Amino acid sequence: MSEVLSFPPLKMTNSEPAPSPLPLSVRHLAFESGNTPILKGIDLDLGTDALTVLMGPNGAGKSVFLRLLHGLLTPSFGQVLWAGSTPGRTVRKQQALVFQKPVLLRRSVQANLNFALGLRPVANRRQILERALEDAGLQHMAKRPARVLSGGEQQRLALARALILQPKVLMLDEPTANLDPATTLAIEHAIARARTRGVKVIMITHDPHQARRLAEDVVFLHDGKIAEHTPAAEFFENPQSHAAKAYLAGDILI
Ligand SMILES: Nc1ncnc2c1ncn2[C@@H]1O[C@H](COP(=O)(O)OP(=O)(O)OP(=O)(O)O)[C@@H](O)[C@H]1O
Ligand SMILES: [Mg+2]
């Protein structure tokens, strides 16, 4: 695939530049389901300019954490603060979250993108839509119902839709799980391109090769807590926590 998901500057009508939603500050964050603790007191600070990868074994609480960051779940205790604000509507408007299983409308590919564009007053709508379709390699299936796309095509559409309004923060939950190498690479290019535009990316992956390719820093979650948060090179060369060492070695972690 050639150019993937690069957009002309978006001209919003009637809009003032939105204040930066960053930095992120998480304090004593806990989440319980019934009486079961899922996240057990997380403190984390993330700045504006890095691709942060979130790793950890199945059930560690990574997806729950991402949902808490985006305000889709409410903390049982503690706080998520984006530049001092809790993740309400104003904060969420500057973010996009892509789920592992793409959540698409039961409409055409084009209508899915159009729906996202309709959420804001955008001046050059037609042009942005066509460019998004082309860059995601989906122009020849623009009229096709989204639900009949293959898994990889759906994931490309979900990412294109997430990026179409140029969010300042992009959160991705295993965006390339089950995808073939070419589609994985196309999605990685799209993510890297968003990074070059200054988008803050927080991404979950289980693929250490992908994390090595993309991550600038790694947050390793284990058993509902952060076992370590280190620059990526350090994490892969010399992980500090027992949990991360075992995970990278392929040992089963309980
Ligand atoms: N919305 C929710 N409400 C309550 N409990 C939840 C919710 N979502 C997930 N859980 C529970 O929280 C725990 C952690 O789930 P989570 O999906 O965050 O794990 P994960 O680290 O993303 O794992 P995986 O790598 O398998 O995706 C699981 O035991 C799950 O059943
Ligand atoms: Mg998950």
Side-chain angles (χ1 to χ4, degrees), residues 25-33 39 41-42 64-65 67-81 86-88 92:
S25 160
V26 176
R27 290 287 169 266
H28 314 306
L29 182 69
F31 181 78
E32 290 174 1
S33 168
L39 295 181
I42 289 191
V64 166
F65 185 47
R67 283 176 160 81
L68 284 160
L69 293 185
H70 195 50
L72 296 180
L73 290 173
T74 308
S76 306
F77 187 78
Q79 275 185 319
V80 170
L81 294 174
T86 52
R92 267 205 299 276

Side-chain angles (χ1 to χ4, degrees), residues 205-225:
T205 181
H206 280 294
D207 179 351
H209 303 293
Q210 177 168 70
R212 275 177 194 266
R213 286 193 291 271
L214 292 176
E216 288 160 75
D217 58 324
V218 177
V219 174
F220 189 83
L221 263 185
H222 177 231
D223 192 26
K225 287 175 279 198

Side-chain angles (χ1 to χ4, degrees), residues 120-185:
R120 304 264 204 300
V122 172
N124 39 352
R125 194 165 160 158
R126 185 75 230 162
Q127 191 196 353
I128 291 168
L129 177 73
E130 273 166 17
R131 189 73 192 274
L133 282 167
E134 187 188 323
D135 289 348
L138 294 170
Q139 68 274 47
H140 57 293
M141 47 186 93
K143 302 244 157 62
R144 206 175 283 179
R147 76 193 136 77
V148 306
L149 300 185
S150 76
E153 290 159 354
Q154 287 194 8
Q155 197 57 275
R156 275 182 2 231
L157 173 57
L159 187 56
R161 194 181 56 179
L163 286 169
I164 205 162
L165 287 175
Q166 299 188 353
K168 298 216 166 108
V169 180
L170 176 65
M171 293 191 255
L172 304 163
D173 194 345
E174 300 191 44
T176 60
N178 306 318
L179 301 186
D180 71 29
T183 311
T184 298
L185 220 56

